[in-house]
Amino acid sequence: MSNEWNRGLGEGYAGREQVCRAHRRGLGGGKWTLREEEPKFAPDRTCDVEHLKLELKIDLPRQTVDARATLTLAAAYGPFTGIVLDAVDLEILSVADGSGKTLRYSYLDRRLTVTWRAAVKERTDLVIDYRVVRPSEGLYFMGPTTWAPKATWQLWSQGEDEEARHWIPCHDAPHERMTTELIATVGANYTVISNGALISRKTRGKSSVWHFRESTPYPSYLITLVVGEFVQVAESWRSVPVEYYVEPGLEAEARRSFGRTPAMIEFFSERLDCPYPYEKYAQVTVRNFTFGGMENLSATTQTDNTLHDARAALDFSSDDLVAHELAHQWFGDLLTCESWAHAWLNEGFATYSEALWKEHSEGRDEFDYLMLQKAAEYMAEPYRRPIVSHRYAYPFQLFDAHLYPKGAWVLHMLRRRVGDELFWKSVRLYLKRHRGESVETLDLIRCFEQASGKSLQGFFHQWLHCPGHPDLEGSLAWDSATKCVTVALKQIQKLENGTPVYRLPLAFDARLEDGSVITRTFEMDQATQTFYLQLPSKPVWVAMDADGSILRTAKLSVPLEWSEAALTGKTRDARVLARIEAVRQAGAQSAYRAVALLARVLREDPFWGVQLEAAAALGRLQTPDALDALIAGLKVKHPKSRRGVVTALGAYTEPRAIEALRRFLEQPDQSYYVQMSALTSFGRAAGKAAVPALRAELKAAMKRKDWHDLIAQGAAIGLAATRDESVVDDLLALASQPGRYWGTRLNTYHALAELGAARPLLGRKIAEEMVRALDDPDLLLAQRAPGALVSLQQQSAIGALRRKAASSSNAHTRESCLMAAEELSTQASRSEAVDKLQSDFEKLRAEARELRERLDKMSAGRAPVGATTAAGRSAEASARDGRSSVTKRPAGRAGARGRTAPREG
């Protein structure tokens, strides 16, 4: 399963809502209560499911499936007399053995329990006839709507983590593996995609029968069924069919989005020394898919949102999504986590594989910057937990930024620790030894230790079994007397809930004037340490961890001239991460020299990511010179750099910034994203003055069919940023428009939430409209709308959220609503606590004022009539202006601590 955020889908808030399966921005409030849950482990098995045959008759308009599941069971653990299968909301019609003899069964509490009269000693078939009617999960029917009456029907399945049980009676856990057959009868106009090879397709009157067989055993959550009116774009890798399925008319978009798949298969097959292991590789795009993609074995389901036009391709690519799901065919499908507690073995490898493909196809700079983005994604998680955790209420909770980007970073740090050669040797051993098996983290550790000869238990313990990461703070300074760079560092992360003081190998590179670079590595294993880097001469610059070998934050104080040397001229550091660190160090200073340096970097740096970081730093500085640099930077060539510039300009409200944005918008940028960001920044910078222009832009954009409505989104978010109350109705009309792209609607709701939070009098009106989205027919919007309500901070929505949670049959919608209601309740309690503290403070301040006045009156009453202070004023006069009379000390007399300056009361 993959996310959409790094691929730019659902820009802004919608993207953040899809970071990964359970990573919900704006929900949870930093709370992570899974420590309170009882540990959970893989369930028992009384027998082994060797094969599953599904025979399905599908009626799309009625949203029903008449099904027969035949499970071949083997007495792998000794004779057995029963089996318990997961089955939710199925209409069980009959249960029999392979000879047709009826078997006893009970169907209670989401479990189907079947018993045999005599123990099964070898193997038997279990045949279950059942019906699926309008399922809430597992199978999703998408058809015509009031706003799209001509839409064709589609059906797609989604199994991860525990949704297969909603349409298949199965042992729904990742450690049970089986081969499968699927025989589906559908209307003759429909195409069926499923796991494995297509054995046959037969036409029977107005129906067609599709027969698939997958010969590699795999878990139930990877079973796929997709039905719809699709066209096929066919390619191949070696002799393996590579297929893309899209709706008619989208063939060009399919080639643009998926065309590098054969090259990716070749790359992973060669790098892993394990050729792609299945009969085919298919990718099918479906409407309203709830996630970025799902790695069903040999047949990945992708969101149709990844299909994009030529203009979007200027700064958007589907490669990360495609690489992620493809890598799962090895990591997750060929090898599968034993239980969800170890799901990082699936998702961490797949996420790191995105970066590996980028490194191979686009170079080291793109690789490093992507890893930096993934680190930021993890750092934004509002809580900290161990990656490997058996404590959860349900597996869905574990699919967060710890599992995905932090899991990827663990592998990256491991690669840096052992080196490329031993890293790939270890990974290949891991694949070869456990091919076709279920794996735990210990299996990976043993392979790495055996292949590398290194003891890695400590490494894995601190990064997988402890929460958090190191937060470093310190300084680097040159001492000409000793010819040393003194490195003073502290680990300042909170040591709570098991977060440790980390053991870190820190590499320092020092460039000398002769061009040579000296590298030293120090082991940091204490909270506070000082290291000394001995050098033959004064360094031009010094960089810490410039290769990005450690997941950490760092606030380092270094001389500005070091940053300048690392960023410009012949001494410029060739490494992107080193230059970005230097940009951030320079950005912490507001001196003219620092601004000039950042301006030069924005103009001249060869990599767009460094330019973007420089633009962001200039936006934070808020100086006239920084503004000049940003206005000049509007001419940078790379669209991602240009986007950074227009975004940074939104932080300025000076007329020059507003005029620059207005002129920039007169000629629309070639990039959707740049144009979107410019519209948003114009609203932030110009305020109410931008409303007429943004309204006109929004109206025009809604008449076009821009990719993902990005231009309309920019205008809408810009309107909200003006903080003008008059725009509320415009935005509500857009957000509530049926059939509009769900990301547009969600982003508009989030923008409204920010407006409502800034203008509380509008909040209740916005909340009343926003709660309607909880019942929206668009499942993607309904599942994510609770996050917008949290941002709105309207406790009046708590009741609606709880009612929706109680009535919804979809687990993800229920969870989102419950989490949002909990967070809003927490906000209310927090607000009440703040109000009470404020009230108590005001009461104490009033009491202190009253006491002071009483003391002043008492002091004034004791002073003799006509007595004067040292300043020559009478005590009575001093009391009148509220000050007690205190005699000055004689000038030059030392105080208790040797102070010579006089003190005055």
Side-chain angles (χ1 to χ4, degrees):
M1 178 69 65
S2 68
N3 64 73
E4 296 184 9
W5 190 47
N6 285 335
R7 284 166 284 281
L9 296 179
E11 174 60 25
Y13 308 101
R16 292 201 298 272
E17 290 296 325
Q18 292 197 95
V19 165
C20 47
R21 297 202 60 236
H23 190 206
R24 297 160 297 276
R25 302 286 180 185
L27 295 181
K31 296 180 67 177
W32 182 256
T33 60
L34 299 196
R35 291 186 303 275
E36 302 168 8
E37 298 290 339
E38 290 297 319
K40 295 177 176 61
F41 303 94
D44 291 338
R45 290 178 288 172
T46 58
C47 57
D48 181 41
V49 182
E50 292 186 331
H51 185 74
L52 169 66
K53 180 179 180 181
L54 288 172
E55 299 170 85
L56 312 172
K57 293 182 179 180
I58 301 166
D59 190 327
L60 273 73
R62 293 179 179 173
Q63 301 183 44
T64 61
V65 179
D66 289 310
R68 166 172 288 185
T70 302
L71 293 81
T72 300
L73 310 176
Y77 319 113
F80 65 94
T81 57
I83 186 173
V84 178
L85 298 173
D86 299 294
V88 179
D89 294 334
L90 306 182
E91 184 181 343
I92 305 298
L93 303 177
S94 66
V95 179
D97 63 17
S99 64
K101 292 183 180 179
T102 300
L103 297 175
R104 290 177 294 178
Y105 73 91
S106 65
Y107 186 28
L108 298 171
D109 194 27
R110 303 160 62 92
R111 299 287 188 273
L112 176 63
T113 303
V114 181
T115 56
W116 282 259
R117 291 178 175 81
V120 178
K121 298 180 179 180
E122 293 186 359
R123 58 176 35 81
T124 187
D125 283 346
L126 171 62
V127 182
I128 305 168
D129 289 326
Y130 62 99
R131 180 176 291 120
V132 184
V133 180
R134 297 179 182 272
S136 59
E137 297 177 54
L139 285 183
Y140 296 82
F141 292 82
M142 302 294 164
T145 61
T146 54
W147 60 87
K150 295 183 179 180
T152 59
W153 278 97
Q154 286 186 2
L155 163 66
W156 46 265
S157 65
Q158 169 54 34
E160 195 175 39
D161 44 73
E162 294 180 341
E163 291 194 45
R165 62 188 67 188
H166 288 263
W167 69 287
I168 304 169
C170 58
H171 185 91
D172 198 6
H175 67 305
E176 177 66 272
R177 305 172 71 87
M178 60 204 163
T179 57
T180 62
E181 278 182 272
L182 186 142
I183 302 171
T185 301
V186 297
N189 57 314
Y190 292 116
T191 298
V192 179
I193 300 99
S194 190
N195 313 89
L198 177 61
I199 304 302
S200 65
R201 178 194 175 189
K202 300 177 181 178
T203 300
R204 296 177 181 173
K206 295 183 179 181
S207 299
S208 59
V209 181
W210 301 68
H211 184 185
F212 294 87
R213 180 181 296 126
E214 178 51 64
S215 58
T216 300
Y218 64 104
S220 57
Y221 79 90
L222 295 172
I223 297 173
T224 184
L225 170 65
V226 179
V227 181
E229 295 187 15
F230 299 112
V231 293
Q232 182 196 78
V233 177
E235 295 190 319
S236 66
W237 171 77
R238 299 182 185 176
S239 59
V240 177
V242 177
E243 306 162 350
Y244 321 134
Y245 292 91
V246 294
E247 294 189 64
L250 297 175
E251 293 88 341
E253 285 81 354
R255 293 186 179 93
R256 184 179 296 113
S257 302
F258 304 135
R260 285 170 290 279
T261 302
M264 291 182 189
I265 298 176
E266 179 65 29
F267 167 70
F268 288 124
S269 296
E270 184 276 330
R271 188 60 58 91
L272 299 172
D273 193 25
C274 178
Y276 180 79
Y278 312 114
E279 296 94 339
K280 69 159 189 258
Y281 186 57
Q283 294 175 92
V284 53
T285 62
V286 299
R287 295 195 301 270
N288 300 318
F289 194 56
T290 47
F291 310 111
M294 179 61 211
E295 65 273 14
N296 307 306
L297 187 132
S298 77
T300 287
T301 304
Q302 306 278 34
T303 172
D304 62 354
N305 293 333
T306 198
L307 299 173
H308 55 283
D309 59 25
R311 184 180 176 186
L314 291 172
D315 47 359
F316 174 85
S317 171
S318 296
D319 276 13
D320 290 353
L321 175 65
V322 175
H324 183 109
E325 305 304 339
L326 175 61
H328 267 311
Q329 301 300 315
W330 288 270
F331 302 107
D333 295 8
L334 194 61
L335 286 72
T336 309
C337 57
E338 174 75 15
S339 70
W340 296 118
H342 299 274
W344 85 277
L345 294 171
N346 298 5
E347 300 300 346
F349 266 105
T351 305
Y352 192 45
S353 294
E354 300 173 31
L356 292 171
W357 167 252
K358 191 171 288 289
E359 181 181 34
H360 171 76
S361 62
E362 299 182 44
R364 174 67 183 272
D365 289 355
E366 292 283 354
F367 168 84
D368 282 341
Y369 198 64
L370 179 58
M371 291 304 297
L372 190 66
Q373 290 174 312
K374 292 188 180 301
E377 182 183 334
Y378 155 69
M379 300 292 180
E381 190 77 270
Y383 53 84
R384 299 288 177 257
R385 71 168 181 89
I387 290 179
V388 177
S389 175
H390 288 274
R391 295 182 182 273
Y392 52 87
Y394 32 82
F396 185 77
Q397 291 179 301
L398 297 177
F399 286 76
D400 60 4
H402 296 80
L403 214 62
Y404 288 75
K406 188 180 181 183
W409 259 95
V410 170
L411 294 170
H412 181 57
M413 291 187 289
L414 189 57
R415 179 185 172 193
R416 291 286 183 256
R417 185 180 181 93
V418 304
D420 275 19
E421 182 178 351
L422 292 179
F423 176 82
W424 289 112
K425 179 182 177 183
S426 304
V427 171
R428 290 164 181 165
L429 175 62
Y430 172 65
L431 277 167
K432 182 178 180 180
R433 177 175 293 175
H434 298 289
R435 176 176 180 141
E437 295 180 354
S438 300
V439 287
E440 295 181 343
T441 300
L442 184 59
D443 297 316
L444 181 70
I445 296 174
R446 286 172 173 163
C447 288
F448 264 87
E449 289 191 329
Q450 180 177 331
S452 70
K454 297 183 182 296
S455 175
L456 297 170
Q457 294 284 343
F459 170 89
F460 281 100
H461 173 75
Q462 70 178 8
W463 290 111
L464 292 178
H465 299 289
C466 296
H469 56 272
D471 294 311
L472 304 180
E473 187 176 87
S475 63
L476 285 71
W478 168 251
D479 186 337
S480 57
T482 61
K483 290 189 176 182
C484 280
V485 173
T486 301
V487 181
L489 288 178
K490 294 181 180 179
Q491 293 191 35
I492 61 172
Q493 67 271 14
K494 294 181 180 179
L495 305 182
E496 58 185 17
N497 301 322
T499 299
V501 172
Y502 283 81
R503 182 180 293 273
L504 306 172
L506 293 173
F508 293 86
D509 300 321
R511 177 172 175 136
L512 306 182
E513 291 181 349
D514 63 5
S516 62
V517 176
I518 294 176
T519 300
R520 295 284 187 273
T521 299
F522 302 102
E523 185 86 0
M524 186 178 191
D525 57 4
Q526 299 175 37
T528 301
Q529 281 179 271
T530 301
F531 307 105
Y532 300 93
L533 177 58
Q534 190 78 45
L535 299 174
S537 61
K538 183 179 180 179
V540 176
W541 51 252
V542 179
M544 183 188 79
D545 188 33
D547 287 320
S549 300
I550 297 172
L551 178 64
R552 42 77 183 178
T553 65
K555 292 182 180 179
L556 300 178
S557 174
V558 302
L560 181 59
E561 54 265 28
W562 287 6
S563 298
E564 188 171 12
L567 287 167
T568 61
K570 294 181 179 179
T571 59
R572 181 172 63 195
D573 198 315
R575 297 164 297 185
V576 159
L577 296 181
R579 300 205 301 279
I580 289 174
E581 188 67 40
V583 164
R584 293 176 177 178
Q585 290 162 357
Q589 306 182 43
S590 59
Y592 171 79
R593 185 178 169 189
V595 175
L597 173 60
L598 293 171
R600 183 176 176 184
V601 172
L602 179 58
R603 292 193 310 268
E604 299 178 1
D605 198 275
F607 183 63
W608 66 267
V610 181
Q611 292 181 318
L612 186 150
E613 294 280 342
L618 289 166
R620 290 189 294 269
L621 286 175
Q622 292 284 296
T623 68
D625 294 327
L627 176 56
D628 290 339
L630 287 171
I631 293 173
L634 287 170
K635 298 179 181 179
V636 294
K637 292 184 178 180
H638 200 291
K640 292 182 181 179
S641 307
R642 227 165 34 251
R643 186 182 180 193
V645 172
V646 297
T647 299
L649 278 171
Y652 291 82
T653 57
E654 286 83 345
R656 289 189 300 126
I658 296 169
E659 178 62 16
L661 285 166
R662 186 188 65 77
R663 289 179 178 272
F664 185 83
L665 288 167
E666 287 178 351
Q667 295 183 345
D669 197 273
Q670 290 182 320
S671 163
Y672 286 124
Y673 287 112
V674 175
Q675 187 73 4
M676 173 191 183
S677 297
L679 289 165
T680 298
S681 287
F682 185 52
R684 289 187 178 131
K688 292 184 179 181
V691 170
L694 291 174
R695 270 199 178 120
E697 188 64 48
L698 176 61
K699 184 177 180 180
M702 297 313 294
K703 293 179 180 179
R704 302 192 302 268
K705 291 185 178 180
D706 298 323
W707 184 67
H708 286 180
D709 287 337
L710 288 185
I711 309 303
Q713 288 190 43
I717 298 170
L719 281 170
T722 67
R723 298 295 186 258
D724 187 342
E725 297 182 11
S726 70
V727 306
V728 171
D729 289 337
D730 300 82
L731 300 182
L732 285 173
L734 173 61
S736 59
Q737 185 176 356
R740 181 63 61 183
Y741 172 57
W742 73 271
T744 302
R745 300 177 63 194
L746 180 64
N747 285 346
T748 306
Y749 275 130
H750 269 287
L752 278 163
E754 289 191 2
L755 176 57
R759 297 289 184 94
L761 293 179
L762 298 174
R764 183 171 290 275
K765 175 182 178 180
I766 294 172
E768 289 173 356
E769 295 295 328
M770 200 179 292
V771 294
R772 297 179 183 177
L774 301 177
D775 296 311
D776 199 273
D778 192 327
L779 183 61
L780 292 169
L781 179 66
Q783 289 180 347
R784 291 158 176 81
L789 284 166
V790 169
S791 301
L792 185 59
Q793 301 177 24
Q794 276 288 319
Q795 282 73 43
S796 61
I798 294 175
L801 286 163
R802 287 177 173 163
R803 286 191 295 273
K804 181 62 179 178
S807 63
S808 177
S809 59
N810 183 273
H812 305 325
T813 301
R814 285 198 304 274
E815 186 201 20
S816 294
C817 290
L818 286 172
M819 289 187 67
E822 179 185 357
E823 175 60 13
L824 285 172
S825 298
T826 302
Q827 288 178 4
S829 300
R830 193 182 302 128
S831 178
E832 290 174 3
V834 170
D835 289 346
K836 186 177 186 303
L837 285 173
Q838 183 68 26
S839 176
D840 291 346
F841 176 74
E842 293 295 340
K843 185 184 295 184
L844 286 171
R845 188 160 65 174
E847 291 174 352
R849 187 185 304 113
E850 181 182 352
L851 179 60
R852 186 170 61 248
E853 290 173 352
R854 290 170 59 189
L855 288 172
D856 287 348
K857 290 178 180 178
M858 291 173 63
S859 177
R862 285 197 301 268
V865 177
T868 60
T869 66
R873 301 170 66 243
S874 70
E876 183 178 359
S878 181
R880 278 200 304 268
D881 70 6
R883 294 189 301 170
S884 61
S885 59
V886 179
T887 304
K888 285 185 178 180
R889 292 175 179 169
R893 182 177 177 180
R897 295 175 182 262
R899 289 186 292 263
T900 57
R903 298 186 64 189
E904 182 177 351

